[in-house]
Amino acid sequence: MARIPLISGNWKMNLNHFEAIQLVQKLSYELSGHDFGQVEVSLHPPYTDLRSIQTVIDADRMGFELGAQNCHTEASGAFTGEISPAMLAKLDVGYVIVGHSERRALFAESNEDVALKASAVFAYEMTPIVCVGETLQERESGQAANIVEAQVVGSLKSVTSQQLGDVVIAYEPVWAIGTGATASADDAQEMCAHIRTVVASIRKEASESVRIQYGGSVNPSNSTELMTMPDIDGALVGGASLQSDSFARIVNFKEA
Ligand code: PEP
């Protein structure tokens, strides 16, 4: 099955809404002529930028999908400081990152929390990007495959077997995020193939359509080798998504 690659820009806690608008406009210019049907692109700004970016995408009929970086599980209620999936859906958000390693490490999110979030995202007809990945210590002690497998199974356990094939999984080794150290294309491929096998063990057909991104210091120099691996269906990009030229070159990985 041909899977459409998804390149996602995770802006983390960067760019106010004026800066965000500027970046989207520059990116749109750099990607004029890009076929979004061939390589999909989602942008994940901070919550405070979402409405501004939604308006710009709409007004200029840009091909970007709007994305969020996190969400709560409930539709509304007494959860001070949280944002609901219903609110995101109302802003035309298409993709929501759940279980990013920074949320797991800094905000103590468990696989169970991530599973509930993934299910809540689907309930509002958006697609979760479910992040998994081992730490350096886990890799060095030979546990990477088992850790990632447990994260995949645990983080997807609230998703129905029907929804499973529509999930996006981002394999992001923690030691490669924001460090400049990238997994080799062979190591990234090996783990993404393993993740696909784990999904197949839950539902075979889902493993053919599920998209698996690689994330961790992706840049224009390493993106083509990574993205052309058979089980890698795109990238989750942090630092390099904050510059329009580098992100555009990653989106255009097929042309490199
Ligand atoms: C990320 O934020 O998910 C990420 C992979 O960051 P970076 O590309 O900067 O390593």
Side-chain angles (χ1 to χ4, degrees), residues 10 12 100 102 131 172 176-180 215-218 236-240:
N10 175 15
K12 311 194 186 193
H100 189 279
E102 286 151 18
C131 301
E172 299 204 295
I177 298 179
T179 59
S217 299
V218 174
L236 181 51
V237 186

Side-chain angles (χ1 to χ4, degrees), residues 12-189:
K12 311 194 186 193
M13 198 173 71
N14 294 295
L15 309 182
N16 62 42
H17 69 289
F18 293 115
E19 295 162 335
I21 289 170
Q22 259 193 355
L23 177 56
V24 175
Q25 285 172 333
K26 277 195 200 164
L27 197 55
S28 173
Y29 177 76
E30 305 230 15
L31 290 174
S32 52
H34 175 72
D35 183 350
F36 288 89
Q38 290 292 314
V39 177
E40 229 185 309
V41 181
S42 66
L43 304 177
H44 301 251
Y47 290 134
T48 51
D49 301 349
L50 283 173
R51 175 65 177 148
S52 307
I53 301 300
Q54 180 211 17
T55 307
V56 173
I57 289 176
D58 253 24
D60 292 348
R61 294 192 169 79
M62 294 174 181
F64 304 118
E65 286 284 337
L66 189 56
Q69 300 175 16
N70 179 33
C71 74
H72 196 266
T73 53
E74 299 294 324
S76 62
F79 301 103
T80 302
E82 291 293 317
I83 301 290
S84 85
M87 294 166 178
L88 298 178
K90 204 73 185 163
L91 285 166
D92 297 335
V93 165
Y95 290 95
V96 184
I97 298 169
V98 293
H100 189 279
S101 69
E102 286 151 18
R103 301 244 22 121
R104 290 178 187 262
L106 304 174
F107 301 94
E109 287 189 9
S110 63
N111 287 331
E112 192 140 81
D113 298 325
V114 178
L116 293 174
K117 288 184 181 203
S119 167
V121 168
F122 270 129
Y124 287 89
E125 292 173 10
M126 301 177 290
T127 301
I129 298 178
V130 178
C131 301
V132 296
E134 81 285 356
T135 62
L136 187 57
Q137 195 197 8
E138 288 162 347
R139 174 155 286 260
E140 286 176 346
S141 60
Q143 299 175 73
N146 288 344
I147 292 285
V148 168
E149 179 166 343
Q151 287 177 333
V152 170
V153 172
S155 304
L156 294 177
K157 75 165 184 259
S158 304
V159 160
T160 67
S161 62
Q162 213 47 47
Q163 292 166 336
L164 191 60
D166 294 328
V167 167
V168 178
I169 298 172
Y171 166 58
E172 299 204 295
V174 177
W175 48 269
I177 298 179
T179 59
T182 321
S184 71
D186 287 339
D187 284 350
Q189 160 60 25

